[in-house]
Structures are given as structure tokens and as C-alpha cells.
Amino acid sequence: METVILAVVIAVVVLGALGGLVIGSRRKKSLPPPPPAAPDITAPPAEPHVGDEAETPRDEPRRTIEEVDLPDGSAPVVVEEPPAPEIEIPEPTAGRLVRLRARLSRSQNALGKGLLTLLSREHLDDDTWEEIEDTLLTADVGVQPTTELVERLRERVKVLGTRTPEELRGLLREELLNLVGTDADRVVKTEPADRKPGIVMVVGVNGTGKTTTTGKLARVLVADGRTVVLGAADTFRAAAADQLQTWGERVGAYTVRGPEAGDPASVAFDAVKEGKEMGVDVVLIDTAGRLHTKTGLMDELGKVKRVVEKHAPLDEVLLVLDATTGQNGLVQARVFAEVVDITGIVLTKLDGTAKGGIVIAVQRELGVPVKLIGLGEGADDLAPFEPEAFVDALIGE
């Protein structure tokens, strides 16, 4: 029995040893590498893993493969998709002029300080009153408003007698407010009660900032929650349509434009039509500002107005004037007032001049209120005109 068991054990050991030798010999042999697979040039690349910043940086445009039939052996065509324009959020318009008062006062209060200095003299003789008149005329207040202001000041100062700086400032503020006017309706009409959209036409000489003002006005409206379509009807200036479209893209406003030197009235008509179909709140139409011939300007603007009013009446016609041009700006204002019915005035570059009296003069000349003023080159430097804030900036604190 013991002999049988011993024979079985020996047999098991011998079989185990033989198995180990076979396995070891197989491990020493390496398998040949598989043949490489042929590349599939029509297959799109694998999508990058989410969060893999090294493969697809967020700031770079996405790369895609163009969907075309590629010849055998050619590489895929990679197309760069341009990034979508970033939509800006304009600054709210409420109290914008108050926030810009410091900028306005730095350039304007020479008028107010000059008047206060003259009125503070112990003896106000005829020579002093002539100096006061000269100060007002130099500030482009205008002859008739200057005469009225000086007469009222002389009478009130005589009654007042002793004059403290505070009394003089209050007196001057009150009289300037009377001239500027606090009762005029200075709201830009863009919300007709019976229809949409409101239609605003912007007119003015090239170089006054007309197209820029139209773009800034779009920002003002968007900041107040309105939707806007822009009509680039200044087709005679090559850069005008591009400039206006750039302003619109910044705030998400759609721009309707036509071919260079095309018919401005056609562009204006299409802009209003597009605005109605899109259901926007306001359509702003930028017009040409050539003054080579008065007759040509009349015909052109008159045609734009007539064509637009086939859709609906114009709610506003805003005249853009450069505040630095002074009396020359009043000449321009008279020409445009003869062409179209001006309903409001926009004064640009008011921060770059000490002639703030142009506000008084142009209102007196046209009989319509200043509704907006431009106070700089910034995108949000167009502000609704507020008489109290303006006069406070003129006379200083």
C-alpha cells in the first residue's frame, strides 16, 4: 500500500515539473505587434473631455471640420468659427447727468464763476454790467437772452441791497433756470400709445457726431429695457453704416443697411418694416448730413420723412448740434428746421467748451427743447438733459 502511494506522489511531482517548463518556454516567446489600422480621414476627431482646458481653451474659437466630400488622401478642412460678439449692458440712464456733473462743471463753470465774481463787487456800475453782458455773450447765451438776464439781475440786485455769496448764487441759479426752462417736455418720444415701434429720425451735419449719437441713443434705450432696430440711411458716407452697425452689435440691436450711395429713403422704409415685423419698441434712423446745397438736402430729408410715414408718423426728429460751433451751429439749426419739423435737440461735445450758454440760445432760436447732451467720448456719455443739474454745474457748488 505504501508503495502505491509513493508511486502516485512521484507521478504528480513529475507532471507538475513538466507543466512549468512548457509555460516558461511560452513566456520567453514575444508575440509580433498587430498591423497598424488604416486611418479613416472622414471620421471626425474625438470630442475633448469636459473640463480639459489644455485641449480646448475657453478663449479660443471652436474648431470644426467642414462638411465636404474630401478626395482620397487629403486632410480634413478645419474652419475657425468667429466668436459671437459680446453683448454689453449699458449704464442705467436714471440720474446719468447728475453722475456726470463733475465732468460738466470742470469745463463749464467758468461762466458761473465769472458771473458770481462780477456780481460780488461792492459797486456794480455800468462798466461792471457791461462785463457781465460780455461774459454771457462769450458763453453763446445769445443777444436777446443776455439782455433779458442782465435787466432782471440789475433790478433784483438793486432790491436785494446787501449781497452775500449764498444770496448771489441762489439769485443767479434762479435766473439761469428761468432762461433754460424747467417746464419743457424733454422726454424723447419713443412709446406711441397706439402702435409699435416708435420711430425716431436723427438729422444733423456730418462731423457733429450724428451717427455716434444715434448709436449712443440706442444704448440709452436698451439701458431702459427697450428693443431697437437701427436704420443706416446715411448711405453717402462710406463708414457710416459700418459705424452704426458696430454700435448696434454692442447692445444687440439689429441694423438695416443698403448699398453704398443707395437710396436713403429705401433704407429707412426697410428699417421701419423690419422693426414692425420683429416687434421691437423703437426704430432709430440715421440720415445723411450733407449741406452742399440746401435744395438737395430738403428734397432728400423730405423724401425720407414721406416714405417712413407710409408706415406710421415720426415720433421724434432729433437735431444733433456740436456745442463747440457756437453761432455757426445756430445757422445749421435754422437750415434743418426749414427742412423737417425738429422736435428736440441733442448737443454734443458739451464737455469740451466753456460755452454752455448755447443751450439757451438754440432753444430760443428753434423753440424746441434740448433733450439730450453729450459729455465725452465714452459709450455712456450721452445723458438726458436735466436743467437743474446743468445749472448747478454751471455755477459750481
Side-chain angles (χ1 to χ4, degrees), residues 311-357:
H311 285 294
L314 283 168
D315 298 290
E316 285 277 5
V317 179
L318 297 177
L319 172 63
V320 180
L321 294 175
D322 183 340
T324 64
T325 59
Q327 296 300 311
N328 187 43
L330 296 183
V331 175
Q332 298 172 4
R334 283 193 289 269
V335 172
F336 278 95
E338 293 174 4
V339 177
V340 288
D341 296 326
I342 305 298
T343 60
I345 302 160
V346 183
L347 279 175
T348 63
K349 306 178 186 178
L350 197 59
D351 63 319
T353 174
K355 299 186 175 184

Short mmCIF file of all heavy atoms in Angstrom, two decimals, residues 311-357:
data_model
loop_
_atom_site.label_atom_id
_atom_site.label_comp_id
_atom_site.label_asym_id
_atom_site.label_seq_id
_atom_site.Cartn_x
_atom_site.Cartn_y
_atom_site.Cartn_z
N HIS A 311 -45.53 104.00 -43.27
CA HIS A 311 -45.74 103.02 -42.20
C HIS A 311 -46.48 103.65 -41.02
O HIS A 311 -47.49 103.12 -40.55
CB HIS A 311 -44.40 102.48 -41.70
CG HIS A 311 -43.74 101.52 -42.63
ND1 HIS A 311 -44.27 100.29 -42.92
CD2 HIS A 311 -42.58 101.60 -43.33
CE1 HIS A 311 -43.47 99.64 -43.76
NE2 HIS A 311 -42.43 100.41 -44.02
N ALA A 312 -45.95 104.78 -40.54
CA ALA A 312 -46.51 105.43 -39.35
C ALA A 312 -45.86 106.81 -39.23
O ALA A 312 -44.79 107.06 -39.79
CB ALA A 312 -46.23 104.60 -38.09
N PRO A 313 -46.49 107.72 -38.48
CA PRO A 313 -45.90 109.05 -38.30
C PRO A 313 -44.59 108.97 -37.52
O PRO A 313 -44.38 108.08 -36.70
CB PRO A 313 -46.97 109.80 -37.50
CG PRO A 313 -48.22 109.01 -37.65
CD PRO A 313 -47.80 107.59 -37.84
N LEU A 314 -43.70 109.92 -37.78
CA LEU A 314 -42.48 110.04 -36.98
C LEU A 314 -42.83 110.53 -35.59
O LEU A 314 -43.64 111.45 -35.42
CB LEU A 314 -41.51 111.03 -37.64
CG LEU A 314 -40.73 110.54 -38.87
CD1 LEU A 314 -40.05 111.72 -39.55
CD2 LEU A 314 -39.70 109.51 -38.45
N ASP A 315 -42.25 109.92 -34.59
CA ASP A 315 -42.50 110.34 -33.21
C ASP A 315 -41.52 111.41 -32.75
O ASP A 315 -41.85 112.24 -31.91
CB ASP A 315 -42.41 109.13 -32.27
CG ASP A 315 -43.46 108.09 -32.60
OD1 ASP A 315 -44.65 108.36 -32.35
OD2 ASP A 315 -43.11 107.03 -33.14
N GLU A 316 -40.29 111.37 -33.28
CA GLU A 316 -39.28 112.37 -32.93
C GLU A 316 -38.40 112.64 -34.15
O GLU A 316 -38.09 111.73 -34.92
CB GLU A 316 -38.36 111.87 -31.79
CG GLU A 316 -38.98 111.89 -30.41
CD GLU A 316 -38.90 113.27 -29.73
OE1 GLU A 316 -38.45 114.25 -30.37
OE2 GLU A 316 -39.31 113.35 -28.57
N VAL A 317 -38.01 113.90 -34.29
CA VAL A 317 -36.94 114.29 -35.22
C VAL A 317 -35.92 115.05 -34.39
O VAL A 317 -36.16 116.19 -33.96
CB VAL A 317 -37.46 115.17 -36.38
CG1 VAL A 317 -36.30 115.56 -37.29
CG2 VAL A 317 -38.54 114.43 -37.17
N LEU A 318 -34.79 114.41 -34.12
CA LEU A 318 -33.77 114.98 -33.25
C LEU A 318 -32.67 115.62 -34.09
O LEU A 318 -32.10 114.97 -34.98
CB LEU A 318 -33.17 113.90 -32.35
CG LEU A 318 -34.13 113.22 -31.37
CD1 LEU A 318 -33.42 112.12 -30.59
CD2 LEU A 318 -34.74 114.23 -30.40
N LEU A 319 -32.36 116.87 -33.81
CA LEU A 319 -31.28 117.58 -34.49
C LEU A 319 -30.03 117.53 -33.62
O LEU A 319 -30.05 117.97 -32.46
CB LEU A 319 -31.68 119.03 -34.74
CG LEU A 319 -30.59 119.96 -35.27
CD1 LEU A 319 -30.10 119.49 -36.65
CD2 LEU A 319 -31.08 121.40 -35.33
N VAL A 320 -28.93 117.00 -34.18
CA VAL A 320 -27.67 116.91 -33.46
C VAL A 320 -26.81 118.11 -33.82
O VAL A 320 -26.55 118.37 -35.01
CB VAL A 320 -26.92 115.60 -33.82
CG1 VAL A 320 -25.59 115.52 -33.06
CG2 VAL A 320 -27.79 114.39 -33.48
N LEU A 321 -26.37 118.87 -32.80
CA LEU A 321 -25.51 120.04 -32.98
C LEU A 321 -24.25 119.89 -32.15
O LEU A 321 -24.28 119.35 -31.05
CB LEU A 321 -26.25 121.32 -32.57
CG LEU A 321 -27.45 121.74 -33.41
CD1 LEU A 321 -28.11 122.97 -32.77
CD2 LEU A 321 -27.05 122.04 -34.84
N ASP A 322 -23.15 120.40 -32.70
CA ASP A 322 -21.87 120.42 -32.00
C ASP A 322 -21.83 121.69 -31.15
O ASP A 322 -21.86 122.81 -31.69
CB ASP A 322 -20.73 120.40 -33.02
CG ASP A 322 -19.35 120.35 -32.39
OD1 ASP A 322 -19.22 120.70 -31.20
OD2 ASP A 322 -18.40 119.97 -33.09
N ALA A 323 -21.74 121.55 -29.83
CA ALA A 323 -21.78 122.71 -28.94
C ALA A 323 -20.60 123.65 -29.14
O ALA A 323 -20.67 124.83 -28.80
CB ALA A 323 -21.84 122.24 -27.48
N THR A 324 -19.51 123.13 -29.70
CA THR A 324 -18.32 123.96 -29.86
C THR A 324 -18.43 124.92 -31.05
O THR A 324 -17.61 125.82 -31.19
CB THR A 324 -17.06 123.09 -30.05
OG1 THR A 324 -17.17 122.34 -31.27
CG2 THR A 324 -16.90 122.13 -28.89
N THR A 325 -19.42 124.73 -31.92
CA THR A 325 -19.52 125.58 -33.11
C THR A 325 -20.22 126.89 -32.83
O THR A 325 -20.20 127.79 -33.68
CB THR A 325 -20.27 124.85 -34.23
OG1 THR A 325 -21.59 124.49 -33.78
CG2 THR A 325 -19.53 123.60 -34.65
N GLY A 326 -20.86 127.05 -31.68
CA GLY A 326 -21.46 128.32 -31.29
C GLY A 326 -22.50 128.81 -32.26
O GLY A 326 -23.43 128.09 -32.64
N GLN A 327 -22.35 130.07 -32.68
CA GLN A 327 -23.34 130.70 -33.55
C GLN A 327 -23.46 129.99 -34.91
O GLN A 327 -24.51 130.01 -35.53
CB GLN A 327 -23.00 132.17 -33.76
CG GLN A 327 -23.07 132.99 -32.48
CD GLN A 327 -24.45 132.96 -31.84
OE1 GLN A 327 -25.46 133.18 -32.53
NE2 GLN A 327 -24.52 132.70 -30.55
N ASN A 328 -22.37 129.38 -35.37
CA ASN A 328 -22.44 128.63 -36.63
C ASN A 328 -23.41 127.45 -36.50
O ASN A 328 -24.09 127.08 -37.46
CB ASN A 328 -21.05 128.12 -37.01
CG ASN A 328 -21.04 127.49 -38.39
OD1 ASN A 328 -21.64 128.02 -39.31
ND2 ASN A 328 -20.37 126.36 -38.53
N GLY A 329 -23.46 126.88 -35.32
CA GLY A 329 -24.42 125.81 -35.08
C GLY A 329 -25.85 126.29 -35.18
O GLY A 329 -26.74 125.55 -35.61
N LEU A 330 -26.10 127.55 -34.80
CA LEU A 330 -27.45 128.10 -34.90
C LEU A 330 -27.85 128.27 -36.37
O LEU A 330 -29.01 128.08 -36.72
CB LEU A 330 -27.53 129.44 -34.17
CG LEU A 330 -27.30 129.38 -32.66
CD1 LEU A 330 -27.49 130.77 -32.06
CD2 LEU A 330 -28.25 128.39 -32.01
N VAL A 331 -26.89 128.61 -37.21
CA VAL A 331 -27.17 128.71 -38.65
C VAL A 331 -27.58 127.34 -39.19
O VAL A 331 -28.56 127.22 -39.94
CB VAL A 331 -25.94 129.25 -39.41
CG1 VAL A 331 -26.20 129.23 -40.91
CG2 VAL A 331 -25.60 130.66 -38.94
N GLN A 332 -26.83 126.30 -38.81
CA GLN A 332 -27.18 124.95 -39.23
C GLN A 332 -28.57 124.57 -38.73
O GLN A 332 -29.36 123.95 -39.45
CB GLN A 332 -26.15 123.96 -38.69
CG GLN A 332 -24.74 124.18 -39.22
CD GLN A 332 -23.73 123.29 -38.52
OE1 GLN A 332 -24.09 122.44 -37.69
NE2 GLN A 332 -22.47 123.47 -38.84
N ALA A 333 -28.86 124.95 -37.48
CA ALA A 333 -30.16 124.61 -36.90
C ALA A 333 -31.29 125.22 -37.69
O ALA A 333 -32.33 124.58 -37.93
CB ALA A 333 -30.21 125.08 -35.44
N ARG A 334 -31.11 126.46 -38.13
CA ARG A 334 -32.17 127.12 -38.91
C ARG A 334 -32.42 126.40 -40.24
O ARG A 334 -33.56 126.24 -40.67
CB ARG A 334 -31.80 128.58 -39.15
CG ARG A 334 -32.01 129.48 -37.94
CD ARG A 334 -31.94 130.94 -38.34
NE ARG A 334 -30.56 131.34 -38.69
CZ ARG A 334 -29.69 131.83 -37.83
NH1 ARG A 334 -30.05 131.99 -36.56
NH2 ARG A 334 -28.48 132.17 -38.21
N VAL A 335 -31.34 125.96 -40.90
CA VAL A 335 -31.48 125.26 -42.17
C VAL A 335 -32.28 123.97 -42.00
O VAL A 335 -33.22 123.69 -42.73
CB VAL A 335 -30.10 124.97 -42.78
CG1 VAL A 335 -30.23 124.07 -44.01
CG2 VAL A 335 -29.38 126.26 -43.14
N PHE A 336 -31.89 123.17 -40.99
CA PHE A 336 -32.60 121.90 -40.78
C PHE A 336 -34.03 122.12 -40.34
O PHE A 336 -34.92 121.34 -40.69
CB PHE A 336 -31.84 121.05 -39.75
CG PHE A 336 -30.70 120.29 -40.33
CD1 PHE A 336 -29.41 120.79 -40.28
CD2 PHE A 336 -30.89 119.07 -40.95
CE1 PHE A 336 -28.34 120.10 -40.83
CE2 PHE A 336 -29.84 118.36 -41.50
CZ PHE A 336 -28.56 118.88 -41.44
N ALA A 337 -34.27 123.17 -39.56
CA ALA A 337 -35.64 123.44 -39.11
C ALA A 337 -36.55 123.78 -40.28
O ALA A 337 -37.76 123.55 -40.23
CB ALA A 337 -35.63 124.58 -38.10
N GLU A 338 -35.97 124.32 -41.36
CA GLU A 338 -36.76 124.60 -42.56
C GLU A 338 -37.05 123.34 -43.36
O GLU A 338 -38.01 123.28 -44.11
CB GLU A 338 -36.01 125.61 -43.44
CG GLU A 338 -35.88 126.99 -42.83
CD GLU A 338 -35.00 127.90 -43.66
OE1 GLU A 338 -34.57 127.46 -44.75
OE2 GLU A 338 -34.75 129.04 -43.24
N VAL A 339 -36.21 122.32 -43.19
CA VAL A 339 -36.36 121.08 -43.95
C VAL A 339 -37.37 120.15 -43.32
O VAL A 339 -38.27 119.63 -43.98
CB VAL A 339 -35.00 120.37 -44.08
CG1 VAL A 339 -35.15 119.04 -44.80
CG2 VAL A 339 -34.01 121.26 -44.78
N VAL A 340 -37.21 119.91 -42.03
CA VAL A 340 -38.10 118.99 -41.30
C VAL A 340 -38.53 119.65 -40.00
O VAL A 340 -37.92 120.62 -39.54
CB VAL A 340 -37.39 117.65 -40.99
CG1 VAL A 340 -37.22 116.83 -42.25
CG2 VAL A 340 -36.04 117.88 -40.32
N ASP A 341 -39.59 119.12 -39.42
CA ASP A 341 -40.09 119.65 -38.16
C ASP A 341 -39.26 119.07 -37.01
O ASP A 341 -39.46 117.93 -36.60
CB ASP A 341 -41.57 119.30 -37.98
CG ASP A 341 -42.44 119.95 -39.03
OD1 ASP A 341 -42.11 121.08 -39.45
OD2 ASP A 341 -43.43 119.33 -39.45
N ILE A 342 -38.32 119.86 -36.49
CA ILE A 342 -37.47 119.42 -35.39
C ILE A 342 -38.30 119.36 -34.11
O ILE A 342 -39.04 120.30 -33.79
CB ILE A 342 -36.28 120.38 -35.19
CG1 ILE A 342 -35.49 120.56 -36.49
CG2 ILE A 342 -35.38 119.90 -34.07
CD1 ILE A 342 -34.87 119.30 -37.00
N THR A 343 -38.18 118.26 -33.37
CA THR A 343 -38.92 118.13 -32.11
C THR A 343 -38.01 118.16 -30.89
O THR A 343 -38.49 118.31 -29.77
CB THR A 343 -39.73 116.82 -32.09
OG1 THR A 343 -38.83 115.71 -32.22
CG2 THR A 343 -40.74 116.79 -33.23
N GLY A 344 -36.71 118.00 -31.10
CA GLY A 344 -35.79 118.01 -29.96
C GLY A 344 -34.36 118.21 -30.45
O GLY A 344 -34.04 117.98 -31.62
N ILE A 345 -33.49 118.63 -29.54
CA ILE A 345 -32.10 118.94 -29.87
C ILE A 345 -31.19 118.05 -29.03
O ILE A 345 -31.44 117.81 -27.85
CB ILE A 345 -31.79 120.42 -29.58
CG1 ILE A 345 -32.74 121.32 -30.38
CG2 ILE A 345 -30.33 120.75 -29.90
CD1 ILE A 345 -32.84 122.71 -29.83
N VAL A 346 -30.12 117.59 -29.68
CA VAL A 346 -29.04 116.87 -28.99
C VAL A 346 -27.77 117.70 -29.14
O VAL A 346 -27.34 117.97 -30.27
CB VAL A 346 -28.81 115.46 -29.57
CG1 VAL A 346 -27.74 114.73 -28.77
CG2 VAL A 346 -30.10 114.67 -29.61
N LEU A 347 -27.19 118.14 -28.03
CA LEU A 347 -25.96 118.92 -28.06
C LEU A 347 -24.79 118.01 -27.71
O LEU A 347 -24.73 117.45 -26.61
CB LEU A 347 -26.02 120.08 -27.06
CG LEU A 347 -26.76 121.33 -27.51
CD1 LEU A 347 -26.84 122.34 -26.37
CD2 LEU A 347 -26.08 121.97 -28.71
N THR A 348 -23.86 117.85 -28.65
CA THR A 348 -22.69 117.01 -28.41
C THR A 348 -21.49 117.87 -28.04
O THR A 348 -21.49 119.08 -28.27
CB THR A 348 -22.35 116.16 -29.65
OG1 THR A 348 -21.99 117.04 -30.73
CG2 THR A 348 -23.54 115.32 -30.07
N LYS A 349 -20.46 117.23 -27.49
CA LYS A 349 -19.19 117.88 -27.15
C LYS A 349 -19.38 119.04 -26.18
O LYS A 349 -18.62 120.01 -26.20
CB LYS A 349 -18.47 118.36 -28.42
CG LYS A 349 -18.27 117.25 -29.45
CD LYS A 349 -17.60 117.76 -30.71
CE LYS A 349 -17.55 116.68 -31.78
NZ LYS A 349 -16.94 117.16 -33.04
N LEU A 350 -20.38 118.91 -25.32
CA LEU A 350 -20.64 119.98 -24.36
C LEU A 350 -19.59 119.99 -23.25
O LEU A 350 -19.48 120.96 -22.50
CB LEU A 350 -22.04 119.82 -23.76
CG LEU A 350 -22.63 121.05 -23.06
CD1 LEU A 350 -22.73 122.23 -24.03
CD2 LEU A 350 -24.00 120.73 -22.49
N ASP A 351 -18.82 118.91 -23.13
CA ASP A 351 -17.79 118.85 -22.09
C ASP A 351 -16.51 119.55 -22.53
O ASP A 351 -15.64 119.82 -21.72
CB ASP A 351 -17.45 117.39 -21.75
CG ASP A 351 -16.87 116.65 -22.96
OD1 ASP A 351 -17.39 116.87 -24.07
OD2 ASP A 351 -15.92 115.89 -22.79
N GLY A 352 -16.38 119.86 -23.82
CA GLY A 352 -15.14 120.42 -24.32
C GLY A 352 -15.18 121.92 -24.56
O GLY A 352 -14.34 122.46 -25.24
N THR A 353 -16.18 122.59 -24.03
CA THR A 353 -16.31 124.02 -24.26
C THR A 353 -16.82 124.71 -23.01
O THR A 353 -17.54 124.13 -22.21
CB THR A 353 -17.28 124.31 -25.41
OG1 THR A 353 -17.47 125.72 -25.51
CG2 THR A 353 -18.63 123.66 -25.19
N ALA A 354 -16.44 125.98 -22.84
CA ALA A 354 -16.96 126.78 -21.74
C ALA A 354 -18.17 127.60 -22.19
O ALA A 354 -18.56 128.54 -21.53
CB ALA A 354 -15.87 127.72 -21.22
N LYS A 355 -18.75 127.23 -23.33
CA LYS A 355 -19.85 127.99 -23.90
C LYS A 355 -21.17 127.28 -23.68
O LYS A 355 -21.89 126.95 -24.62
CB LYS A 355 -19.59 128.25 -25.39
CG LYS A 355 -18.32 129.06 -25.63
CD LYS A 355 -18.16 129.42 -27.09
CE LYS A 355 -16.95 130.32 -27.28
NZ LYS A 355 -16.80 130.77 -28.68
N GLY A 356 -21.49 127.04 -22.42
CA GLY A 356 -22.71 126.32 -22.10
C GLY A 356 -23.96 127.11 -22.40
O GLY A 356 -25.07 126.55 -22.42
N GLY A 357 -23.81 128.41 -22.68
CA GLY A 357 -24.98 129.20 -22.99
C GLY A 357 -25.65 128.82 -24.29
O GLY A 357 -26.78 129.25 -24.57
#
